[in-house]
Amino acid sequence: MSKHHVVIVGAGFGGLAAARGLRRDDVRVTIIDKQNHHLFQPLLYQVATAGLSPAEIAAPIRTIVKDHGNTSVLLDEVCGVDVATRRVRLASGATVEYDSLILATGARHSYFGNDAWEAHAPGIKTLDDAVRVRRSILIAMERAETLRQENIGERMDFLTFVVIGGGPTGVEMAGAISELTRHAAEMDFRHITPKCLRIVLIEAGPRLLATFPEALGEAAQQSLEQLGVEVRLNSRVEQISAGSVTVSGNMLRAATIVWAAGVQASRAAAWLGVTGDRAGRVAVDPDMSVPGCPGVYAVGDTASIARADGRPVPGIAPAAKQQGGYVASVVAARIAGAAPPPPFRYRDHGNLATIGRKRAVADFGRVRLSGFPAWLLWSTSHIYFLVGFRSRVTVGLHWLWSYLTFERGARLITGLADMPDSIAVPQQRAA
Amino acid sequence: MSKHHVVIVGAGFGGLAAARGLRRDDVRVTIIDKQNHHLFQPLLYQVATAGLSPAEIAAPIRTIVKDHGNTSVLLDEVCGVDVATRRVRLASGATVEYDSLILATGARHSYFGNDAWEAHAPGIKTLDDAVRVRRSILIAMERAETLRQENIGERMDFLTFVVIGGGPTGVEMAGAISELTRHAAEMDFRHITPKCLRIVLIEAGPRLLATFPEALGEAAQQSLEQLGVEVRLNSRVEQISAGSVTVSGNMLRAATIVWAAGVQASRAAAWLGVTGDRAGRVAVDPDMSVPGCPGVYAVGDTASIARADGRPVPGIAPAAKQQGGYVASVVAARIAGAAPPPPFRYRDHGNLATIGRKRAVADFGRVRLSGFPAWLLWSTSHIYFLVGFRSRVTVGLHWLWSYLTFERGARLITGLADMPDSIAVPQQRAA
């Protein structure tokens, strides 16, 4: 009889933790991902704001698992699961049989039913997304530089940057855009001064960082305002079109609009024929298995599970890692015929968000930090957690260098051919 | 009266050298480029073979010239020159008047009239080109990994890499592809062994590196053969289509075909209404000015000029730099009403080409090196000449790290959505 075959879909934090947990067990493991690289998503906003290069926050999946003797990697896209015959269907036309299936497929941004907004307000979930936003920001500044006084309105549009969503991603993006553009205005451009810039952060709820304690949300808002970011709370986005966003009845013109307002789980629920929650996540049993789908588990942003106190487990990297490792132990116990491990329990190690290059907020339950001490903690912990990345040294050096010199090395506009729709290139009149 | 306006088109080595030469003169300088970055083109093949990331060999033009108080940068594309009224026409619709115009627009690859080949055999002249070739190589290996015995022919196509052109670019690409794929086969893949790989370098002439002394061409060929590269001399490419190239009557199937066989100057000759030479370059007078076009100069790959002994000045970075600096001195003398400098004279500092990660060939006239000493010289001189690049330190560390560990950090497939035509994704059959 052939070995028990564990198929893991998705090589994010959850999927890789599951593969790692099984690397010494007597199983065959196949990781399927539509990208060839694992992505350190918490730093994606740094790529979008030209602080880091794509290769500094990504590593080939094959390299990460090369020492797992029982693991194969398949570059392909899953398009369905046949639960009855235990098969995964792939976009290439192939099918893969499984004994256990771990779905760790993550999330995409959600436009709450307004999918047409995506063309004008891209989100940031993949390297291609981040490079697209970086290009949009840098091109907007180039266009503004060449516009003269007679085009003052159009010029202002290029110098207005709107970020939608006041969670950690939106807060980090708004702070980083402010620093990138202000620094570029001071150093690189002749006709743009920091005073010309306008960065607006829009949040539908009454405060920033809703998942953090209230005091830290306020600290984040103060830090952002010191960086010149206009924070608009209780503001609901009603319409987005090319170069404009309508917020609570008022239209705001901006060439660059970034979406950080909501996420939607991948299509895993549809593959399994189960009903997902509001965010599309699959409700799982306490052992992370999917009810009614024998041998199928979901982890990370794909899964919906509550903590002991009823609050949901958050959709962050440490939670996905813990769940991936936990499912590995469940599968290993089942194969060995051993007693199943106790139900999954989320260990909360705290919550961090950064605001610009020397401020952050951190929540460790009783201990709460903000300002520079939180930033130091944030940067050291992120460098530390780039585990398995050859680039840990590079990122560390790069950040130290950036911090000391405030130069940004990744300020490249690539792929000019397919310019984002949100940038309408104006006619220029030069001397 | 307003200041003398010098317009420089192209921020390659020649254009930047001209701007640098004029930075303390009483002129206004405008640099126009369709990209926002200067590119260290001699290392582009390293991006195409996943040795370096795009940001490590490129820097924003604005950053490079930020200390030139008299220089502006315009991100736009030139589409014509009106010599009579001294105006440059831009793709955005704007026009820019000039007193002096320096055309430093470089070259693209040339398919000798077979432009349809480009879709199947991309060349490497821009970052986007290099990332495209990198994607093509990495996807080919992924496809080969998933193909089983019954698809042995198709599998071989994915593991065959053809480089066309035996000049420095072709030699460097063939060596780097060999090392990248061999290393990946050994470390990252389960079903690909180095023996499955086939790298073919095709050259129409009787030897490699025609611009180097014959002994060094032979040394390069030996080094490549030691790396497992099949070198085919006197082989003329007759046809290229998706996944195949016909060479001297024989068809060779390969999913990845890279073009390094010829270059063609930009359209500068057409803009000026003059006849270019066979490679499209503009013949210039001994002071690098274009006859019949008052105030217009051409440098680097845009210009055709002979050395004292009648041989042409080569199309390499040091020549472009020397010409850019020289034209700056011509323009400065003209404005100051001083005597013009003596005619341009090319100073030959030698010629280097690298083959894989520890071999190179170097020609300094009387001194000729090959093997590891030439490689050491090549790498230190390239790190040294990354002048003005903040990444000099990073590249140095990166290379040292790669050399010691042989890991490659930039092995990312990005932009999967627009897969190159030369990769036809096969139907897979998995277990």
Side-chain angles (χ1 to χ4, degrees):
Chain A
M1 195 191 102
S2 71
K3 274 184 192 164
H4 187 99
H5 188 204
V6 181
V7 172
I8 299 172
V9 186
F13 291 105
L16 286 184
R20 190 175 165 76
L22 290 164
R23 74 189 185 286
R24 294 206 190 84
D25 289 299
D26 190 29
V27 295
R28 273 195 308 136
V29 176
T30 300
I31 301 174
I32 304 173
D33 199 297
K34 58 185 171 182
Q35 303 284 4
N36 81 326
H37 51 269
H38 167 70
L39 184 62
F40 196 84
Q41 268 191 356
L43 289 178
L44 208 45
Y45 81 96
Q46 288 259 4
V47 173
T49 53
L52 292 172
S53 283
E56 289 171 316
I57 63 158
I61 300 163
R62 295 191 184 284
T63 305
I64 297 172
V65 301
K66 71 181 177 192
D67 298 328
H68 301 193
N70 61 359
T71 305
S72 299
V73 179
L74 201 57
L75 178 75
D76 211 326
E77 189 166 355
V78 170
C79 57
V81 176
D82 189 339
V83 174
T85 60
R86 298 203 178 195
R87 284 165 193 273
V88 172
R89 285 193 304 278
L90 303 178
S92 65
T95 59
V96 178
E97 291 181 11
Y98 63 83
D99 296 301
S100 296
L101 175 65
I102 303 174
L103 297 171
T105 44
R108 286 285 301 169
H109 19 268
S110 160
Y111 290 84
F112 307 125
N114 300 292
D115 290 349
W117 294 0
E118 182 161 18
H120 315 302
I124 306 169
K125 276 284 173 190
T126 67
L127 282 180
D128 289 332
D129 290 343
V131 170
R132 185 184 173 198
V133 168
R134 178 178 81 182
R135 189 164 62 213
S136 170
I137 296 170
L138 297 174
I139 288 177
M141 297 205 59
E142 292 288 343
R143 294 303 169 209
E145 172 80 354
T146 57
L147 285 170
R148 300 299 160 97
Q149 291 306 324
E150 62 263 39
N151 296 101
I152 194 82
E154 200 168 40
R155 186 162 186 272
M156 195 62 224
D157 297 352
F158 282 116
L159 295 175
T160 304
F161 302 86
V162 174
V163 178
I164 300 167
T169 304
V171 165
E172 290 176 338
M173 271 303 292
I177 289 177
S178 171
E179 291 200 326
L180 164 64
T181 55
R182 262 150 224 281
H183 177 69
E186 277 167 12
M187 300 300 289
D188 288 348
F189 289 89
R190 302 252 177 266
H191 308 297
I192 303 174
T193 61
K195 269 197 275 184
C196 310
L197 295 162
R198 188 176 177 202
I199 294 105
V200 185
L201 176 61
I202 295 170
E203 164 58 38
R207 67 184 189 86
L208 298 180
L209 299 178
T211 58
F212 285 66
E214 196 160 342
L216 291 182
E218 280 162 19
Q221 184 169 348
Q222 274 176 20
S223 295
L224 284 173
E225 285 168 352
Q226 281 164 20
L227 287 174
V229 176
E230 226 178 288
V231 178
R232 294 203 190 173
L233 302 174
N234 301 306
S235 299
R236 194 164 287 280
V237 170
E238 286 148 3
Q239 180 60 39
I240 301 177
S241 43
S244 82
V245 49
T246 305
V247 184
S248 305
N250 296 311
M251 193 175 88
L252 189 61
R253 294 192 52 81
T256 309
I257 306 169
V258 179
W259 185 262
V263 293
Q264 177 75 22
S266 68
R267 293 177 36 77
W271 297 340
L272 299 174
V274 304
T275 310
D277 71 359
R278 206 165 47 104
R281 292 171 303 188
V282 176
V284 292
D285 282 338
D287 67 347
M288 304 300 298
S289 68
V290 181
C293 301
V296 180
Y297 303 84
V299 301
D301 285 344
T302 314
S304 167
I305 187 168
R307 298 190 234 194
D309 63 5
R311 287 183 301 154
V313 172
I316 58 177
K321 275 185 171 177
Q322 291 175 27
Q323 293 175 348
Y326 173 81
V327 168
S329 71
V330 171
V331 171
R334 200 166 58 122
I335 295 165
F344 175 72
R345 187 163 160 266
Y346 173 59
R347 292 178 303 282
D348 190 345
H349 294 312
N351 224 344
L352 279 159
T354 177
I355 305 133
R357 74 186 191 111
K358 50 184 184 190
R359 297 182 186 85
V361 293
D363 169 30
F364 302 100
R366 273 173 305 181
V367 181
R368 289 166 192 179
L369 294 173
S370 62
F372 189 67
W375 182 86
L376 259 189
L377 188 77
W378 173 86
S379 45
T380 47
S381 71
H382 272 72
I383 291 172
Y384 179 78
F385 282 116
L386 283 169
V387 174
F389 278 65
R390 170 214 136 287
S391 48
R392 199 197 292 182
V393 177
T394 318
V395 174
L397 280 171
H398 200 120
W399 281 359
L400 186 66
W401 182 270
S402 293
Y403 188 75
L404 294 174
T405 65
F406 212 158
E407 266 199 67
R408 281 169 185 266
R411 215 156 56 230
L412 303 183
I413 303 176
T414 53
L416 266 178
D418 61 322
M419 211 175 279
D421 299 339
S422 58
I423 296 289
V425 180
Q427 291 297 331
Q428 287 177 25
R429 275 179 291 275
Chain B
M1 197 192 102
S2 73
K3 273 185 192 166
H4 188 98
H5 188 204
V6 182
V7 172
I8 300 171
V9 186
F13 291 104
L16 286 183
R20 191 175 164 75
L22 290 164
R23 74 190 186 287
R24 294 206 190 85
D25 290 299
D26 190 30
V27 294
R28 276 194 306 134
V29 176
T30 301
I31 301 174
I32 305 174
D33 200 299
K34 58 185 174 183
Q35 303 283 2
N36 81 328
H37 50 269
H38 167 71
L39 184 64
F40 196 84
Q41 268 191 359
L43 290 178
L44 208 45
Y45 81 96
Q46 288 259 4
V47 173
T49 53
L52 291 171
S53 283
E56 289 171 315
I57 64 158
I61 299 163
R62 294 190 184 285
T63 306
I64 297 173
V65 301
K66 72 181 177 193
D67 298 328
H68 301 194
N70 62 357
T71 305
S72 300
V73 180
L74 200 58
L75 178 74
D76 211 326
E77 190 167 352
V78 171
C79 55
V81 176
D82 189 340
V83 174
T85 62
R86 296 202 180 197
R87 284 164 191 273
V88 172
R89 287 193 304 278
L90 302 178
S92 64
T95 57
V96 178
E97 290 181 12
Y98 64 83
D99 296 302
S100 295
L101 175 64
I102 303 173
L103 297 171
T105 43
R108 287 284 304 169
H109 19 266
S110 160
Y111 290 85
F112 308 123
N114 300 290
D115 290 348
W117 294 0
E118 181 161 19
H120 315 302
I124 307 168
K125 276 285 172 188
T126 68
L127 282 180
D128 289 332
D129 290 343
V131 169
R132 185 183 174 201
V133 167
R134 178 177 80 183
R135 189 163 66 216
S136 169
I137 295 170
L138 296 174
I139 288 177
M141 299 210 51
E142 292 287 343
R143 295 302 169 209
E145 174 80 354
T146 57
L147 285 170
R148 301 301 160 98
Q149 291 306 323
E150 63 263 38
N151 295 99
I152 195 81
E154 200 167 39
R155 187 163 185 271
M156 195 61 222
D157 296 352
F158 282 116
L159 295 176
T160 304
F161 302 85
V162 174
V163 178
I164 300 166
T169 306
V171 165
E172 289 175 338
M173 272 303 293
I177 290 177
S178 170
E179 293 199 325
L180 164 64
T181 54
R182 261 149 226 282
H183 177 68
E186 276 165 12
M187 302 299 289
D188 289 347
F189 289 89
R190 302 252 177 266
H191 307 297
I192 302 173
T193 60
K195 269 196 274 184
C196 309
L197 296 161
R198 186 174 178 205
I199 294 106
V200 185
L201 176 62
I202 295 170
E203 164 58 37
R207 67 186 187 86
L208 298 180
L209 300 178
T211 59
F212 285 66
E214 196 161 343
L216 292 181
E218 279 163 19
Q221 182 169 350
Q222 274 177 21
S223 296
L224 285 173
E225 285 168 351
Q226 281 163 21
L227 287 172
V229 176
E230 227 177 288
V231 178
R232 294 203 191 173
L233 302 174
N234 300 306
S235 299
R236 193 162 286 280
V237 170
E238 287 148 2
Q239 180 61 37
I240 301 177
S241 44
S244 81
V245 47
T246 306
V247 185
S248 305
N250 296 311
M251 193 175 88
L252 190 60
R253 294 192 52 82
T256 308
I257 306 169
V258 179
W259 184 263
V263 293
Q264 176 76 21
S266 68
R267 292 177 36 75
W271 299 339
L272 299 174
V274 303
T275 310
D277 70 358
R278 206 165 49 105
R281 292 171 304 187
V282 176
V284 291
D285 281 337
D287 67 348
M288 304 301 297
S289 68
V290 181
C293 302
V296 180
Y297 303 84
V299 302
D301 285 345
T302 314
S304 165
I305 187 168
R307 298 190 234 195
D309 62 4
R311 286 183 303 153
V313 172
I316 59 178
K321 275 184 170 176
Q322 291 175 26
Q323 293 175 348
Y326 173 81
V327 168
S329 69
V330 171
V331 171
R334 200 167 57 122
I335 295 164
F344 174 72
R345 188 162 160 267
Y346 173 59
R347 292 178 301 284
D348 189 346
H349 294 313
N351 223 344
L352 278 159
T354 176
I355 305 132
R357 74 188 192 109
K358 50 182 185 190
R359 296 183 188 85
V361 292
D363 170 29
F364 302 100
R366 271 173 306 180
V367 181
R368 289 166 191 179
L369 294 173
S370 61
F372 189 67
W375 183 86
L376 258 188
L377 187 78
W378 174 86
S379 46
T380 48
S381 72
H382 273 72
I383 290 172
Y384 178 77
F385 282 115
L386 283 169
V387 173
F389 278 65
R390 168 215 136 289
S391 47
R392 199 196 295 184
V393 177
T394 318
V395 174
L397 279 171
H398 200 121
W399 281 359
L400 187 65
W401 181 271
S402 293
Y403 187 75
L404 294 173
T405 66
F406 214 158
E407 268 200 65
R408 281 172 184 263
R411 213 156 55 229
L412 303 181
I413 302 176
T414 53
L416 267 177
D418 62 323
M419 211 175 279
D421 300 340
S422 59
I423 296 290
V425 180
Q427 292 296 333
Q428 287 179 22
R429 276 179 290 274

